[in-house]
Amino acid sequence: MRTGNEPMTARSPLRLRFGLASFGLVWTAAGTAFFALAGRPGWAIACGVVMLVTVIDLVVIIRHIRQGPHYQPGRDVPPYEAVRNTNHPGEGKRQP
């Protein structure tokens, strides 16, 4: 039985994900260019595919950041209380 509410109210570190994805974008773009100039088309395509995935991830991250505090609460927004299912036989009663 779960005693805490952390998994239900966890916040996503979107700014950290943005930084890591930006770092990955720079390196995959450099790898794509390097392998293309070195005459290794297979490796260039592989880096290009990873770069495409990174760009899609960046778009999703930016969209969630712009959606506001529902997706990226600030320090002044308390965690949301978990919704408890009182109809489930294994769950306890809702605490006031």
Side-chain angles (χ1 to χ4, degrees):
M1 178 178 219
R2 194 169 61 96
T3 60
N5 66 353
E6 293 82 13
M8 307 250 332
T9 61
R11 298 179 184 183
S12 176
L14 293 176
R15 288 183 184 89
L16 176 64
R17 280 182 57 197
F18 179 79
L20 291 172
S22 298
F23 180 76
L25 180 64
V26 169
W27 280 102
T28 55
T32 303
F34 173 76
F35 286 122
L37 293 174
R40 301 282 190 174
W43 284 102
I45 291 171
C47 283
V49 168
V50 174
M51 185 171 63
L52 179 64
V53 170
T54 305
V55 168
I56 292 169
D57 188 36
L58 277 169
V59 168
V60 170
I61 292 168
I62 291 170
R63 180 175 174 264
H64 283 180
I65 288 173
R66 289 187 177 180
Q67 284 181 338
H70 180 70
Y71 283 96
Q72 184 65 23
R75 297 182 193 276
D76 57 336
V77 178
Y80 301 110
E81 274 302 313
V83 176
R84 304 213 190 285
N85 185 1
T86 58
N87 296 329
H88 191 274
E91 293 287 324
K93 298 290 184 189
R94 187 174 187 164
Q95 302 283 331

